[in-house]
């Protein structure tokens, strides 16, 4: 009797032999007799391979970003993402070493922006970060604000905005940089990259633009005023003759922020930290900018990073605004 195609008890090999002996070979018919492969092992293999590839990609990204972070120990890029996104015209910027920045300015920055910079392990307090995340999801007001490491990586790599993705990326990068760089280096980069006006970046350019003085000569009041500029730099203007515009022509928001920081918030916060020396001491600074005066002399090794004279970018910006300079001495001859 001819073997039935539905006889499950008969071995497949016997069925194949019988088929080839009794009738012409039919590939499609033969395929029907072969056992169907189980797709589950292949599916598990594909999932495992995708997981492994994703893991390898994440490791590669972390290694690359860490190498970039390590490079910032020595290297200070001349432009940041925020600078490149500035569409209002050429920017004014020049690097200055932390040694040549007034300790009043450093103290004001710590007190106003991030009192825990020198004592915190990591880029932020996790409890505060969780509260900020919850407030963002619920559409509420930010209860604490970004820390200096978070603001720094945002300025260097990211873009304006309040999306959860951007904030998450900011948190990851800030953690990486806070664990890689010293507190003093983070402060140096932050003060060099912070925006102090519509086209003004860094404390070197800001001190000369507003006050006509190098950053190592800034006083307490000037430093406190600049803290009020940080939240709304696009609305702050230079006053005719120098200083920050604070009369009836000033933007109301900028007026409130600058006056509030200079007269209330910064003095109170610095006093609460035990004074400006105690404030800078939290990040390991015990000297003063005057200790490095010899390095600012013409021909000295650090002269080019001391911001001893008007940066060319600042001169160009002031000339656009009607300020005239003596081309030889680079001193202002007419200021509106």
């Amino acid at each position: 009797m001819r073997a039935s195609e539905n006889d499950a008890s008969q071995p497949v090999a016997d069925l194949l032999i019988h088929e080839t002996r009794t009738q012409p070979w039919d590939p499609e018919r033969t395929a029907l007799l072969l056992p169907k492969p189980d797709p589950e092992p292949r599916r598990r293999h594909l999932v495992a391979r995708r997981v492994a590839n994703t893991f390898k990609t994440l490791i590669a990204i972390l290694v690359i970003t860490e190498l970039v972070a390590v490079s910032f120990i020595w290297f200070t890029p001349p432009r940041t993402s925020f600078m490149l996104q500035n569409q209002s015209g050429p920017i004014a910027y020049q690097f200055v070493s932390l040694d040549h920045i007034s300790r009043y300015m450093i103290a004001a920055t710590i007190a106003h922006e991030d009192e825990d910079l020198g004592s915190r392990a990591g880029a932020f307090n996790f409890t505060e970060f969780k509260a900020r995340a919850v407030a963002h999801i619920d559409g509420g007001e930010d209860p604490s604000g970004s820390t200096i490491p978070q603001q720094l990586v945002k300025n260097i790599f990211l873009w304006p905005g309040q999306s959860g993705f951007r904030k998450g990326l900011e948190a990851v990068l800030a953690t990486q940089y806070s664990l890689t760089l010293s507190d003093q280096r983070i402060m140096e980069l932050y003060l060099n990259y912070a925006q102090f006006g519509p086209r003004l970046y860094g404390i070197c350019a800001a001190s000369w633009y507003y006050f006509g003085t190098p950053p190592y000569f800034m006083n307490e009041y000037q430093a406190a005023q600049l803290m009020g500029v940080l939240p709304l730099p696009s609305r702050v203007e230079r006053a005719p003759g120098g200083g920050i515009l604070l009369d009836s022509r000033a933007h109301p928001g900028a007026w409130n922020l600058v006056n509030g920081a200079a007269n209330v918030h910064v003095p109170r916060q610095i006093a609460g930290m035990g004074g400006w020396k105690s404030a800078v001491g939290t990040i390991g600074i015990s000297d003063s900018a005057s200790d490095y005066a010899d390095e600012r002399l013409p021909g000295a090794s650090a002269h080019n990073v001391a911001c001893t004279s008007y940066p060319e970018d600042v001169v160009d910006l002031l000339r656009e605004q009607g300020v005239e300079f003596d081309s030889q001495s680079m001193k202002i001859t007419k200021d509106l």
Side-chain angles (χ1 to χ4, degrees):
M1 179 182 292
R2 184 176 176 179
S4 170
E5 293 178 8
N6 297 322
D7 186 357
S9 64
Q10 189 170 3
V12 173
D14 291 347
L15 291 173
L16 290 173
I17 292 172
H18 180 79
E19 289 289 332
T20 57
R21 288 177 177 176
T22 57
Q23 55 185 323
W25 179 62
D26 184 352
E28 293 183 1
R29 184 179 181 82
T30 302
L32 293 174
L33 295 173
L34 292 173
K36 302 297 183 185
D38 183 2
E40 192 60 31
R42 176 177 174 81
R43 187 178 297 112
R44 287 197 297 267
H45 175 72
L46 288 174
V47 171
R49 188 167 64 182
R50 287 173 182 170
V51 170
N53 288 339
T54 300
F55 182 74
K56 290 177 182 177
T57 300
L58 289 175
I59 292 297
I61 292 172
L62 287 174
V63 170
I64 292 171
T65 55
E66 179 57 26
L67 289 174
V68 174
V70 169
S71 74
F72 274 81
I73 296 175
W74 307 280
F75 176 56
T76 306
R79 292 291 184 269
T80 66
S81 174
F82 266 52
M83 291 179 189
L84 295 174
Q85 292 175 72
N86 192 310
Q87 301 297 316
S88 57
I91 66 166
Y93 165 78
Q94 182 174 306
F95 174 80
V96 59
S97 165
L98 192 68
D99 293 339
H100 306 290
I101 298 176
S102 165
R103 277 28 183 173
Y104 296 134
M105 185 65 198
I106 298 172
T109 305
I110 294 170
H112 191 264
E113 298 294 295
D114 191 355
E115 289 187 17
D116 297 326
L117 175 64
S119 59
R120 182 182 55 239
F124 46 80
N125 178 284
F126 182 76
T127 302
E128 291 181 357
F129 180 76
K130 182 179 178 181
R132 294 185 67 206
V134 171
H136 175 73
I137 294 171
D138 294 341
E141 186 176 348
D142 191 334
S144 58
S146 299
T147 63
I148 284 178
Q150 288 175 292
Q151 293 180 62
L152 174 63
V153 297
K154 178 185 71 175
N155 290 341
I156 296 175
F157 299 111
L158 304 179
W159 58 92
Q162 300 297 322
S163 71
F165 172 75
R166 201 225 60 166
K167 288 180 176 291
L169 190 57
E170 174 189 290
V172 172
L173 290 172
T175 298
Q176 194 169 29
Y177 275 68
S178 67
L179 296 175
T180 302
L181 305 178
S182 68
D183 294 332
Q184 292 185 28
R185 179 58 172 163
I186 288 174
M187 176 59 68
E188 181 176 66
L189 290 171
Y190 178 71
L191 286 176
N192 271 283
Y193 289 148
Q195 185 176 2
F196 289 100
R199 293 159 53 188
L200 200 65
Y201 292 85
I203 190 59
C204 172
S207 62
W208 281 107
Y209 176 78
Y210 289 115
F211 309 120
T213 187
Y216 46 85
F217 281 158
M218 289 182 61
N219 59 40
E220 292 177 83
Y221 190 72
Q222 292 168 339
Q225 279 189 311
L226 287 181
M227 290 302 98
V229 173
L230 291 174
L232 202 62
S234 63
R235 297 295 187 179
V236 178
E237 298 179 56
R238 179 182 182 272
I244 298 173
L245 184 66
L246 292 173
D247 60 20
S248 59
R249 295 168 293 177
H251 184 278
W255 189 95
N256 286 329
L257 287 167
V258 173
N259 275 306
N263 299 308
V264 181
H265 305 304
V266 172
R268 182 175 61 196
Q269 288 161 313
I270 289 181
M273 297 184 73
W276 68 267
K277 288 185 178 180
S278 296
V280 299
T282 62
I283 62 170
I285 296 178
S286 57
D287 55 16
S288 67
S290 62
D291 293 336
Y292 302 92
D294 289 346
E295 297 181 5
R296 298 192 283 266
L297 297 174
S301 59
H303 183 73
N304 62 331
V305 294
C307 192
T308 57
S309 60
Y310 273 98
E312 291 184 9
D313 292 340
V314 173
V315 172
D316 292 340
L317 183 58
L318 288 172
R319 279 177 171 159
E320 283 184 30
Q321 298 170 357
V323 178
E324 296 179 6
F325 283 81
D326 183 305
S327 59
Q328 298 298 321
S329 65
M330 291 308 295
K331 293 181 178 179
I332 293 176
T333 58
K334 181 181 178 181
D335 194 345
L336 305 181

